[in-house]
Amino acid sequence: MNTSDRNQQAAKLSDLLLSWYDSERRILPWREDPTPYHVWVSEIMLQQTRVDTVIEYYQRFLRELPDVKALAEAEEERLLKLWQGLGYYSRIRNMHKGAIQVMEEYGGEIPGTPKELQKLSGIGEDVAAAISSIAFAYPIPSVDGNLLRVYARMTGYEESIRTTAARKVATAYYEEILDRTRPGDMNQALMDLGAGICLPGGAPLCDTCPAADFCAAREQGRQRELPVRAPKKEKHLEEKTVFLLLGPEGTALRQRPDTGLLAGLWEYPHVPGRLTEEQAARQLRQWGLTPRAWLRQLDARHIFTHIRWEMTGYLVQVEGRGPADWLWADEARRQRLAIPSAFDQFTRALPAEGD
């Protein structure tokens, strides 16, 4: 195919996608008022999180922190509580650092070019492209996981899409079909295509796809084979025994270290391994606590990106203070602290005050 024919085909595909987007686009709160701050918040939240989950968090976040100045001035404990349940807490910490950079280095104005945006903490290539294209109409494709999958099927790409090389060729493809007058809408059209039609797991909805006539995988009947992915590593198993300790002043909590998994969040005391009740009682005595009533035992599981926690929990009434760095929190105080969703099942097992 010569250059002229290729350009005509790219323009036709672009027109089809934009026409489809105009009539079928998802109505999302950050799209209704796509300021740089709104797009930034939504794009960071949407990393590793489903759209239907993000909407409520996004709306609450903006009620509390309506602009970049408010985000920059917010206390970390407040930020972590607003983020509780979204996981990957480094995202909000980095966004906070980025907001401070905006205030200190850019006079409170979020920059509009991908190069400047990537200087802000936590903003990578795809997020910078999304913000600059959607909020500033900068002509650049935003190539996330959805778009890599669409690219592999559209072109019949047979290598793993989890590589730098795959991202490079996919970016070149999208640069060729990108509509320069509506780059933000074009990126969002492709996002909607990947999220709602060119689905993962080998089950795309080809009959409703506006780009079906341009898709190599559909033409070759290879929708279930593509994209190719390198095998995922087996998740590392960690067993834990979690202690739900009820004392006169509330429930025992401790703060996680400032670095590493779930950094700085609050958690129920726990130790490695699955302890029997007798072993758990011995652990309580080592902490300087006396068990008075064993109320309940329960099991829970939580899966992180690379780790699987298998947990046994004991709900116990105790006497004593425990280690000096523990916090004994009543229900009101506990609700103000950010406790990871990994412990949700244990939180729900706690008796309400007055029971």
Side-chain angles (χ1 to χ4, degrees), residues 252-318:
L253 293 167
R254 67 186 185 191
Q255 194 167 23
R256 292 181 66 85
D258 291 336
T259 58
L261 182 67
L262 306 175
L265 303 186
W266 292 86
E267 66 182 1
Y268 306 109
H270 57 79
V271 297
R274 287 180 176 267
L275 304 187
T276 65
E277 188 172 309
E278 181 180 351
Q279 291 169 326
R282 210 159 39 237
Q283 178 62 61
L284 290 176
R285 290 192 291 271
Q286 290 176 12
W287 282 329
L289 299 169
T290 302
R292 292 303 183 194
W294 296 82
L295 303 178
R296 185 179 173 188
Q297 180 179 352
L298 62 156
D299 294 312
R301 153 188 302 192
H302 190 80
I303 298 176
F304 298 94
T305 304
H306 303 297
I307 303 171
R308 185 173 85 252
W309 282 3
E310 298 284 352
M311 297 171 281
T312 292
Y314 291 101
L315 178 63
V316 192
Q317 287 182 343
V318 297

Side-chain angles (χ1 to χ4, degrees), residues 187-297:
N187 279 325
Q188 291 178 106
L190 289 162
M191 292 173 191
D192 281 7
L193 187 73
I197 291 181
C198 198
L199 302 173
L205 307 179
C206 297
D207 291 343
T208 61
C209 179
D213 290 342
F214 295 83
C215 181
R218 180 176 181 270
E219 181 181 354
Q220 299 163 12
R222 302 181 63 204
Q223 299 97 314
R224 294 185 178 275
E225 299 174 27
L226 298 173
V228 175
R229 292 183 177 87
K232 290 185 177 181
K233 293 182 179 179
E234 186 72 21
K235 295 184 187 296
H236 174 66
L237 171 64
E238 294 184 2
E239 293 186 323
K240 299 180 181 296
T241 298
V242 179
F243 291 85
L244 298 174
L245 305 178
L246 308 179
E249 299 176 49
T251 304
L253 293 167
R254 67 186 185 191
Q255 194 167 23
R256 292 181 66 85
D258 291 336
T259 58
L261 182 67
L262 306 175
L265 303 186
W266 292 86
E267 66 182 1
Y268 306 109
H270 57 79
V271 297
R274 287 180 176 267
L275 304 187
T276 65
E277 188 172 309
E278 181 180 351
Q279 291 169 326
R282 210 159 39 237
Q283 178 62 61
L284 290 176
R285 290 192 291 271
Q286 290 176 12
W287 282 329
L289 299 169
T290 302
R292 292 303 183 194
W294 296 82
L295 303 178
R296 185 179 173 188
Q297 180 179 352

Side-chain angles (χ1 to χ4, degrees), residues 150-169:
V150 171
Y151 166 75
R153 287 179 175 152
M154 291 286 286
T155 64
Y157 187 71
E158 296 183 339
E159 304 298 323
S160 170
I161 60 168
R162 302 180 189 273
T163 66
T164 302
R167 179 172 291 274
K168 184 176 180 179
V169 294

Side-chain angles (χ1 to χ4, degrees), residues 6 57 71 77 81 111 125 127 136 149 169 202 205 257 354-355:
R6 191 168 65 247
Y57 280 92
L71 173 57
E77 187 170 299
K81 185 61 180 178
E125 187 176 348
V127 172
F136 296 98
R149 180 173 64 257
V169 294
L205 307 179
D355 287 358

Side-chain angles (χ1 to χ4, degrees), residues 36 39-40 43 110-112 117 123 126-137:
V39 180
W40 183 13
E43 286 295 320
I110 297 171
L117 283 163
I123 295 185
D126 57 333
V127 172
I131 297 171
S132 62
S133 67
I134 296 169
F136 296 98

